[in-house]
Amino acid sequence: MNDGAVAAGDLAQWFPKLRPAATDERPDGGVFEIGLCCAGAISAGAYAAGVFDFLVEALDAWHAAKANGEAVPRHQVQLRIVTGASAGGMNAAILAASAPYRFPAAGPRATAGDRARNPFYRAWVDEIDIAKLLATDDLERDGFRSLLNSIPLRRIAADIVEHGPASGLAAIARPWLLDPLPVLLTVTNLRGVPYAVAFKGGSPHGMRIHADTLGFMARSAEASAGAVPPDAIDLPFARSASDPRWGALVQAALATGAFPVALRPGEILRPAADYKYRFAQYLPGEAAPSFISPDGTLPDPYAFPCVDGGLINNEPFEMARTALAGLDGRNERDGAKARRAVIMLDPFVEAPGEGPAELGPSIARIAVAMFTALKDQARFKPESLLLAMREDVFSRFLIAPKRYPDGAARGGAAVEGVEAMASGGLGGFLGFFSREYRHHDFMLGRSNCQAFLRNVFALPESNTVFDAETRASRKWRCRDDPKFVPIVPLVGALAEDEYPSPWPRGAFTGWPAVETAFTRRADAAAKALIATWIGRDGAGAWAKRKALEAAWGIWGRGWVRDKVQARLDDARDAVDRRAL
């Protein structure tokens, strides 16, 4: 059904994506607006976490220098929205929870204590580990719900919510953040939201939407609740994991990262009204948008299971772009006029592998190929990446892994994409098996973010977002091309080159490091699965269970072990061979 137009004045209190496009609504000449889009990454979330860490540190240092009256560029930058999927969504959630606190950076000069108090490093390097993911307490409590144990992830997410006050971190107001800050996490809604579109002369056309989002507004200690969008949750500065609002962020972080089968699906309960304004469009001649709402069969409250947001929308770029440009607008691409840009952070920029040329008689291969085709098609968004990679477009930028063989910032042929990271093997899961891999990728993210801010995230010197003094100075120019000025200048120690950690060759022994934990979990999972199939009651159930458990021990365990060992050791060897 179409709810019709709403009052134009109501738009001001709703999500930024509903801003009407208007040339007189652009930010003034001294402000540059940013949207941050964080793609899925699995264990390479450690790389994205490093990017987040350096970006926060760089913006904090620059604004502190301005506040102290130092001779630095005086223009303003404001991060207006963060969108994320899967591991990218988890990092967005960490930013939402941690932004109101002054936390130490986790760079090369940081102490072990500093890194323990850094929410990004703590979550992605210190806390997440395969030993925890192979524990069996979830099987004992809930039965076989996923290949890996998701309970440690819940503990990490709850810890991040409590981290600021529990660690004694001081509150901070960051002027470069929109306050409250909109944070959008994608999920794949397995139940689907029903819509019906009525055509003249016919019955309504029904459909279900499975690409879903969970929205939040994170605010500092100085911000009031303000106007919260109709499909978002207010995150107050005072928090606790037991607060249902912050509990919803924990649930959302787990849901967006719930890799199908590997991790337990998320379970979300929300008001049906959250979907009332989800789809909007400006119709010709109308000053306010019209909305399409779900049909009358949507229950209230609405509960649904969900899995990884990256399954359907792995790069929620359009959400960030629309939040900056308005529902019916566009962000200026010309370098001399640009005032807004979306930064896409994507550790896995490579195209997915080619599907099979022929399927043969295997039903299993047909099912796998069909699932992969549907996933790849849902993610097909060539314009976002193509425009981000064009040198003449200044409204969208891309941060992706790049590493030089000697670790230096320049010199030698760079290795890019998944090959630059230690965590890319096993389809992105390899980082969970080695802290050294995660540490390397975190530091690589920091180093890449520094290079990005120094040489890529820049505008021509003619752009009037910069004041006359900055445009005239040769000090604040890009190292690679002095005709351009960085949008976020690097000040103080952050201007000194950061290099990635040494390549972690030999850091992981492979199968011997996980054999005991893997075997224990595989046996417990097989037992739980058999109990689900056979049941625990009824005539002959005990005998059937024991027979299948014996068959698992004789044939199944060895077959699974050999497959996992071969893949794991191959992934380890690939890391060691690169030895960058």
Side-chain angles (χ1 to χ4, degrees), residues 1 4 27 42 82 92 97 150 174 184 188-189 192 241 323 375 462 476 576:
M1 61 181 274
I42 315 176
V82 182
S150 297
R174 291 186 158 97
L184 277 178
T188 299
N189 183 330
K375 178 192 67 175
S462 59
W476 305 108
D576 289 349

Side-chain angles (χ1 to χ4, degrees), residues 117-428:
R117 292 186 298 136
N118 179 285
F120 294 104
Y121 192 93
R122 179 185 179 95
W124 281 103
V125 181
D126 282 342
E127 294 296 328
I128 187 88
D129 188 77
I130 192 61
K132 297 177 181 179
L133 298 176
L134 290 176
T136 60
D137 52 328
D138 62 323
L139 299 171
E140 298 161 4
R141 189 179 73 180
D142 300 324
F144 187 46
R145 303 288 298 276
S146 56
L147 294 177
L148 298 176
N149 188 340
S150 297
I151 292 177
L153 299 180
R154 180 175 298 278
R155 292 171 181 155
I156 292 170
D159 174 73
I160 291 301
V161 169
E162 304 278 7
H163 178 69
S167 300
L169 301 178
I172 182 176
R174 291 186 158 97
W176 52 269
L177 278 176
L178 183 64
D179 193 6
L181 174 69
V183 176
L184 277 178
L185 311 182
T186 67
V187 295
T188 299
N189 183 330
L190 297 180
R191 184 177 185 180
V193 182
Y195 288 83
V197 178
F199 291 90
K200 291 182 178 180
S203 300
H205 175 66
M207 64 193 84
R208 283 187 178 269
I209 303 297
H210 295 272
D212 211 340
T213 58
L214 303 171
F216 299 88
M217 300 291 282
R219 52 189 169 98
S220 71
E222 299 182 354
S224 59
V228 178
D231 60 347
I233 295 175
D234 174 50
L235 296 178
F237 172 75
R239 86 273 307 278
S240 165
S242 60
D243 183 323
R245 294 168 295 184
W246 283 100
L249 180 68
V250 171
Q251 293 277 26
L254 295 171
T256 190
F259 194 93
V261 181
L263 296 171
R264 179 172 175 167
E267 297 173 354
I268 301 297
L269 179 68
R270 65 192 310 186
D274 281 5
Y275 297 95
K276 189 176 181 64
Y277 303 103
R278 180 60 58 87
F279 294 104
Q281 182 178 6
Y282 282 98
L283 299 178
E286 295 186 359
S290 294
F291 298 91
I292 300 176
S293 298
D295 67 27
T297 66
L298 187 70
D300 189 18
Y302 172 60
F304 61 92
C306 55
V307 294
D308 197 318
L311 182 64
I312 292 179
N313 190 357
N314 196 52
E315 295 98 10
F317 182 93
E318 187 61 19
M319 296 177 186
R321 189 203 68 80
T322 305
L324 298 183
L327 183 64
D328 200 32
R330 56 168 286 179
N331 296 312
E332 178 61 59
R333 298 174 184 173
D334 188 290
K337 302 175 183 178
R339 290 292 187 275
R340 301 187 180 104
V342 178
I343 300 173
M344 170 123 62
L345 169 53
D346 192 351
F348 297 130
V349 293
E350 292 85 0
E354 183 181 10
E358 56 183 56
L359 293 171
S362 171
I363 293 178
R365 290 192 68 189
I366 294 173
V368 170
M370 183 175 65
F371 173 81
T372 302
L374 291 172
K375 178 192 67 175
D376 290 345
Q377 182 61 41
R379 292 179 174 185
F380 185 69
K381 301 171 186 175
E383 183 185 15
S384 297
L385 280 174
L386 289 175
L387 288 176
M389 298 173 73
R390 281 183 50 173
E391 294 184 357
D392 60 342
V393 172
F394 291 85
S395 62
R396 51 188 74 192
F397 295 82
L398 176 67
I399 303 178
K402 177 181 290 189
R403 197 187 194 285
Y404 292 88
D406 58 1
R410 43 186 86 241
V415 177
E416 301 186 51
V418 67
E419 293 294 312
M421 298 182 297
S423 300
L426 289 181

